[in-house]
Amino acid sequence: MNISYNWLKKYVDFDLTPDELAAALTSLGLETGSVEKVETIKGGLAGLVVGKVLTCVEHPDSDHLHVTTVDLGDGVPTQIVCGAPNVAAGQHVVVATVGTKLYDGDKEFAIKKSKIRGVESFGMICAEDEIGVGTSHAGIIELPLDVKPGTPAREYYNVTDDYVLEVDLTPNRIDAASHYGVARDLAAWLNANRGMNVAAHRPDVAAYKSDRPDGAVEVTVENAEACPRYSGVTIRNVKVQESPQWLKDCLSAIGQRPINNIVDITNFILLGLGQPLHCFDLAKVKGDRVVVKTVAEGTKFVTLDGVERTLTGRDLMICNAEEPMCIGGVFGGLDSGVTETTTDIFLESAYFHPTWIRKTARRFGLNTDASFRFERGIDPNETVYNLQAAALMIKELAGGEICGDIVDVKAKDFPRFPVTLEYSYADTLIGKKLGKDTIKGILKSLEIEITAESDEALELLVPTYRVDVQRPCDVVEDVMRVYGYNNVEFDDTVHSSLSYKGETDVKNSLQQLISEQLTAAGFNEIMNNSLTAGAYYADLTTYPEANCVHLLNPLSSDLCVMRQTLLFGGLESIAHNINRRSGNLRMYEFGNVYHFNPEADCTEKVLAAFSEHTALGVWITGNNHDGNWAEAARKSTVFDLKAVVENVFARIGITAKELVMEQISSDIFSAALSISNRGGKHIGCLGIVKRPLLKKLDVAQDVFYAELNWDALVKMTLKKKVTFADLPKTQPVRRDLALLVDAAVTMADIEKVVNSSERKLLRGVSLFDVYEGKNLEAGKKSYAISIILQDDEKTLQDKQIDAVMNKIIANLQKQVGAQLR
């Protein structure tokens, strides 16, 4: 949120520069991203001074221009040619001197010495719109005669620079979502770090009183769960008009557009004190009655943005005697707000249940300033004070009469949070003894009341606006924010304990090992969101939409389910890079994937239907390498990916003999291999991603993808025992075979037959040539394979070799119909 430097000074006295303030807020946990100078009038009226017109005569060569001499306070008359019809001698005017920069929207122009129809002019006498202090261009500005010539226009118009600090709030710090909330923290910091004795202060409401006993609106709260406290006041005979300049400047500085005095006051209270208010036009409150309740399921309601929304039975509505007027705590209705014709208003200040507001806001995809605060929890004990502050401002700026007493419907009391803080606990958690006086001083500055004290502990009551401070550790965190984490020195000793390296540590070590291997091979690691679009899984059988883990309150349709696969996040990253002319990509990601089994029995274990595991995703697309003088460019293929996957297996000690690779059909891949262990457990898959799937993500080039079940691989690795053996005493024997097979037979089929034919002496089988075409029968192809045999202890005899080869050949002929060429 944006914090105005000048506005903040209304609530706490300090002399920090804007940059020093930013550093202080950041140390308090209110990280400040930027500090930007803001001018209420563009250019800040620099170079503009008050002048007195000494003489004014008609221009000798014009019927509408005048030649004037002006006293600018320096004792030297300055000649200026002016075209305004109302210029006259004796006037006090605003003059832009030579070199002054003026602005017309985003355009900038400088005042120069010039000749206008032959007469020299050394400046410009200005109208309101030319310097940004008004909109009139009927003539030049005429100032009171008591304004001294030479007075800077900036001083006369009381133009002050402001600075806007962009503060990033963490989700737990809703108490700081206002200028007063930031002022409270800053006061505590100033006391602890600058030795000051200041406290945040806010407007006094002692002058609040009712002007007449009648005319108040009746309020009924029918749903106290959703609205534990509802306060309101009726004000009649107000005048809706433009806000005063100081109020418009406050709002404009932080990016809030001024609308009218009534609406601007509600925004001022919201951004200044942190209480969302809503103002209803009483002419639209039928029956002079406000009812806080839910309405019938399916009720139609048009919100302020003109959108018709269908309400549920869990949406809290602010209604009149006949119909809904506003979605409570979220968004106003189209016909109930304040307009220029409004004369009577009902002002609402409430505390709504955070969960109700959050769910309603998510259902309708709304995120307003009010819902942002209500769904995180505002202070329920300040609704009346903020109502009084707003009512007094309305009386001051819009007139009107306060009718009757404030209506305050409260379902329960809201006590402060009791916490016991032991000094020893605080010292242990901090790692330093701050001293009792230091801790108590900080707690006092944070408005945390000490109700009882002993040598060992403090009994505390935490203010209700600090919804995130309800445990001793929360109090210690608050103390440290103010004291400063940088003020805790490192100890000279290191306290640690030995721990057993468990499965998780091995998993992380192996993950680091493979990350280093892939990175060294030219891959980049990516990290994508675990939330993804449910539309990706529509019409898929490999990853059915029914198996998605859906979010109850998704932020958007693009982040509505937990991912079942890493594939789509990687494709989004590929599309992002290709669109930026980086199409040769090699990427990998370690991440969790999630699965829901709708048929699971959850009677004994509620979460039995849900599962997750860590997966490794690998993507290759584009060229394997670019061309150069030595060799031409080569496109990546699925075999490059297969080699990478096999290297991963080898690096963690899993051999090819422990795995089974089978060709499969899939609605994800146009060609793919399924990988499993010898026990039949699925380990992963790799293949060529289908073009229609790529087209959905605007990827127009081939993508090769592999996904491995990393948890399963780690378990396989943990089961392996490290063994060693002497190096073989003999040389391996190679035999080549040229096989004629049907075109449908794959190398995987041949490998499977060869591996099952001989287990003791077989060391490897590889393909070194494939031929299809001339001199072969139609529907046939030729594979040339090498078979490596070896006995580690003795040299193989021809008889042994022939026996093994004959068995392999016979099995190939029988199982895949191979013929020797």
Side-chain angles (χ1 to χ4, degrees):
M1 65 171 292
N2 290 333
I3 294 295
S4 160
Y5 180 82
N6 291 341
W7 194 345
L8 189 63
K9 282 194 167 186
K10 295 178 184 290
Y11 302 121
V12 64
D13 301 321
F14 64 92
D15 57 0
L16 303 176
T17 67
D19 288 334
E20 289 173 337
L21 175 61
L25 295 183
T26 298
S27 71
L28 280 164
L30 305 176
E31 185 176 355
T32 303
S34 64
V35 179
E36 182 182 350
K37 185 177 180 180
V38 175
E39 298 170 328
T40 54
I41 297 177
K42 194 168 185 179
L45 302 185
L48 293 162
V49 297
V50 175
K52 179 180 180 180
V53 181
L54 301 175
T55 64
C56 178
V57 297
E58 292 185 357
H59 193 290
D61 194 24
S62 172
D63 60 357
H64 69 280
L65 296 176
H66 297 81
V67 180
T68 68
T69 56
V70 183
D71 176 11
L72 299 180
D74 56 2
V76 180
T78 300
Q79 181 171 286
I80 299 174
V81 177
C82 179
N86 65 325
V87 65
Q91 292 174 331
H92 285 211
V93 295
V94 177
V95 177
T97 57
V98 173
T100 299
K101 293 179 180 179
L102 298 181
Y103 300 87
D104 181 11
D106 293 330
K107 296 180 181 178
E108 175 187 286
F109 62 94
I111 301 299
K112 301 177 181 178
K113 173 186 173 183
S114 61
K115 276 190 176 183
I116 302 176
R117 295 196 178 184
V119 178
E120 287 187 320
S121 181
F122 298 89
M124 172 179 166
I125 303 176
C126 301
E128 285 184 357
D129 64 329
E130 292 170 331
I131 64 174
V133 297
T135 58
S136 173
H137 194 70
I140 60 171
I141 301 169
E142 296 183 50
L143 300 178
L145 297 181
D146 59 351
V147 183
K148 186 179 178 181
T151 302
R154 177 187 182 88
E155 180 181 321
Y156 173 76
Y157 283 104
N158 194 28
V159 175
T160 56
D161 290 334
D162 197 0
Y163 295 86
V164 172
L165 293 82
E166 185 183 0
V167 176
D168 297 327
L169 293 180
T170 53
N172 63 314
R173 290 305 311 279
I174 194 60
D175 64 290
S178 67
H179 285 75
Y180 181 65
V182 172
R184 284 186 302 227
D185 263 19
L186 180 60
W189 185 90
L190 290 170
N191 294 340
N193 294 275
R194 292 296 177 94
M196 299 175 66
N197 184 22
V198 296
H201 47 80
R202 56 184 182 175
D204 185 10
V205 296
Y208 177 87
K209 63 182 180 63
S210 175
D211 296 310
R212 50 189 261 202
D214 63 321
V217 169
E218 179 187 348
V219 174
T220 304
V221 177
E222 294 185 5
N223 191 326
E225 177 193 349
C227 182
R229 188 169 190 178
Y230 190 91
S231 308
V233 66
T234 304
I235 307 175
R236 297 184 183 272
N237 302 319
V238 299
K239 183 179 180 181
V240 178
Q241 58 188 355
E242 186 178 357
S243 295
Q245 192 61 45
W246 70 265
L247 180 53
K248 292 193 292 184
D249 289 346
C250 279
L251 297 176
S252 298
I254 60 173
Q256 187 77 36
R257 181 175 65 89
I259 298 174
N260 58 54
N261 53 353
I262 302 296
V263 175
D264 292 349
I265 287 169
T266 62
N267 286 330
F268 183 82
I269 297 297
L270 168 72
L271 300 168
L273 301 175
Q275 172 70 53
L277 303 175
H278 194 79
C279 195
F280 297 93
D281 185 341
L282 270 185
K284 310 291 178 61
V285 181
K286 297 177 181 179
D288 274 354
R289 186 175 176 221
V290 172
V291 183
V292 183
K293 63 178 183 178
T294 55
V295 295
E297 187 93 16
T299 300
K300 304 295 183 183
F301 180 71
V302 180
T303 46
L304 195 58
D305 55 0
V307 176
E308 183 179 80
R309 305 180 189 275
T310 303
L311 303 175
T312 73
R314 297 289 292 176
D315 299 320
L316 185 68
M317 303 299 295
I318 313 301
C319 308
N320 56 41
E322 300 178 11
E323 60 192 4
M325 299 185 295
C326 169
I327 302 177
V330 180
F331 210 21
L334 184 62
D335 297 324
S336 62
V338 172
T339 66
E340 294 178 356
T341 61
T342 299
T343 58
D344 302 329
I345 62 173
F346 176 76
L347 195 60
E348 166 195 285
S349 176
Y351 170 72
F352 298 113
H353 195 290
T355 303
W356 277 73
I357 301 303
R358 177 177 56 81
K359 289 185 176 181
T360 293
R362 295 298 175 271
R363 264 194 293 272
F364 295 121
L366 295 170
N367 183 21
T368 62
D369 286 335
S371 68
F372 176 81
R373 288 160 175 80
F374 280 128
E375 66 187 45
R376 287 163 176 80
I378 64 167
D379 189 351
N381 288 324
E382 294 298 326
T383 60
V384 172
Y385 167 81
N386 290 301
L387 199 60
Q388 292 172 331
L392 288 174
M393 284 188 69
I394 289 173
K395 284 197 66 176
E396 178 185 350
L397 303 182
E401 299 173 304
I402 298 175
C403 301
D405 295 331
I406 287 178
V407 177
D408 185 24
V409 182
K410 187 166 61 170
K412 60 179 181 179
D413 290 329
F414 302 93
R416 288 174 292 175
F417 310 118
V419 177
T420 300
L421 177 65
E422 296 180 356
Y423 290 117
S424 59
Y425 174 80
D427 294 341
T428 301
L429 203 58
I430 294 170
K432 176 182 179 179
K433 289 188 176 182
L434 301 189
K436 297 179 181 180
D437 291 340
T438 299
I439 292 176
K440 288 190 291 185
I442 293 174
L443 292 175
K444 180 181 177 182
S445 295
L446 289 171
E447 300 181 3
I448 297 176
E449 181 184 353
I450 301 172
T451 59
E453 180 181 357
S454 67
D455 291 338
E456 291 79 26
L458 296 171
E459 297 295 331
L460 308 173
L461 286 178
V462 180
T464 48
Y465 61 78
R466 288 308 307 273
V467 294
D468 62 318
V469 181
Q470 300 186 29
R471 303 171 298 172
C473 59
D474 300 328
V475 176
V476 174
E477 180 187 354
D478 248 25
V479 170
M480 282 306 301
R481 284 194 308 107
V482 176
Y483 181 78
Y485 288 96
N486 292 336
N487 295 325
V488 178
E489 303 85 1
F490 285 104
D491 199 351
D492 293 333
T493 59
V494 177
H495 304 280
S496 63
S497 58
L498 298 176
S499 60
Y500 173 72
K501 191 172 184 179
E503 182 176 326
T504 302
D505 300 304
V506 174
K507 178 181 175 180
N508 292 335
S509 299
L510 290 175
Q511 183 172 320
Q512 181 67 26
L513 186 70
I514 296 304
S515 294
E516 291 173 354
Q517 174 177 316
L518 291 172
T519 301
F523 282 79
N524 289 304
E525 184 173 10
I526 61 175
M527 288 187 289
N528 287 297
N529 199 336
S530 294
L531 303 178
T532 187
Y536 287 148
Y537 300 94
D539 304 323
L540 291 183
T541 56
T542 305
Y543 301 107
E545 188 174 8
N547 294 136
C548 288
V549 178
H550 289 265
L551 272 66
L552 291 177
N553 297 293
L555 293 174
S556 70
S557 59
D558 291 334
L559 300 170
C560 64
V561 300
M562 306 291 283
R563 62 188 177 189
Q564 290 191 62
T565 171
L566 303 178
L567 171 63
F568 299 110
L571 292 181
E572 289 175 351
S573 299
I574 288 172
H576 178 86
N577 282 274
I578 290 175
N579 290 337
R580 287 153 182 79
R581 299 186 179 182
S582 178
N584 301 328
L585 302 167
R586 298 165 74 88
M587 305 187 304
Y588 72 94
E589 177 181 9
F590 284 96
N592 283 5
V593 293
Y594 308 85
H595 181 83
F596 171 68
N597 181 5
E599 299 177 358
D601 182 4
C602 300
T603 53
E604 294 185 5
K605 191 176 181 182
V606 176
L607 299 179
F610 299 93
S611 62
E612 65 177 289
H613 68 267
T614 303
L616 167 61
V618 183
W619 296 261
I620 296 178
T621 186
N623 289 339
N624 185 64
H625 60 263
D626 291 325
N628 54 48
W629 66 271
E631 58 180 337
R634 180 177 75 80
K635 287 188 175 296
S636 298
T637 69
V638 72
F639 299 105
D640 295 315
L641 176 66
K642 184 171 181 283
V644 170
V645 171
E646 289 175 338
N647 287 337
V648 168
F649 292 148
R651 189 69 182 89
I652 59 177
I654 297 175
T655 63
K657 288 186 176 181
E658 297 175 77
L659 300 172
V660 177
M661 292 191 181
E662 295 180 324
Q663 191 166 356
I664 59 170
S665 58
S666 165
D667 52 1
I668 296 291
F669 300 108
S670 57
L673 288 177
S674 173
I675 308 169
S676 57
N677 62 17
R678 290 290 173 181
K681 181 175 177 57
H682 182 71
I683 299 297
C685 59
L686 66 90
I688 308 169
V689 181
K690 280 189 173 180
R691 286 294 178 90
L693 207 58
L694 297 176
K695 189 176 181 180
K696 286 184 179 179
L697 288 101
D698 296 325
V699 177
Q701 61 191 51
D702 286 336
V703 176
F704 311 104
Y705 174 66
E707 182 165 312
L708 305 176
N709 185 328
W710 185 247
D711 289 344
L713 290 175
V714 170
K715 287 180 179 179
M716 288 182 66
T717 302
L718 290 174
K719 290 178 180 179
K720 291 181 67 67
K721 293 183 179 179
V722 177
T723 59
F724 68 93
D726 292 334
L727 292 174
K729 300 175 182 178
T730 61
Q731 296 294 322
V733 175
R734 168 174 169 165
R735 291 289 186 267
D736 295 340
L737 294 177
L739 304 173
L740 185 65
V741 296
D742 292 336
V745 176
T746 65
M747 182 57 193
D749 297 329
I750 293 174
E751 279 185 301
K752 186 176 181 181
V753 173
V754 174
N755 286 327
S756 63
S757 298
E758 174 58 43
R759 297 187 183 279
K760 183 179 179 181
L761 301 180
L762 183 67
R763 294 293 180 266
V765 55
S766 61
L767 175 71
F768 64 87
D769 187 45
V770 180
Y771 177 73
E772 291 181 89
K774 190 177 179 182
N775 299 327
L776 290 183
E777 299 177 34
K780 296 287 187 177
K781 62 182 176 183
S782 174
Y783 279 144
I785 64 173
S786 293
I787 295 174
I788 307 298
L789 303 174
Q790 186 177 23
D791 187 323
D792 294 342
E793 298 297 330
K794 57 184 179 180
T795 302
L796 290 175
Q797 302 297 317
D798 288 342
K799 185 176 180 181
Q800 291 174 281
I801 297 170
D802 290 342
V804 171
M805 293 304 299
N806 288 335
K807 183 179 179 182
I808 290 173
I809 292 169
N811 287 338
L812 287 171
Q813 291 173 338
K814 180 179 180 181
Q815 296 182 35
V816 298
Q819 302 175 34
L820 291 179
R821 293 188 65 196

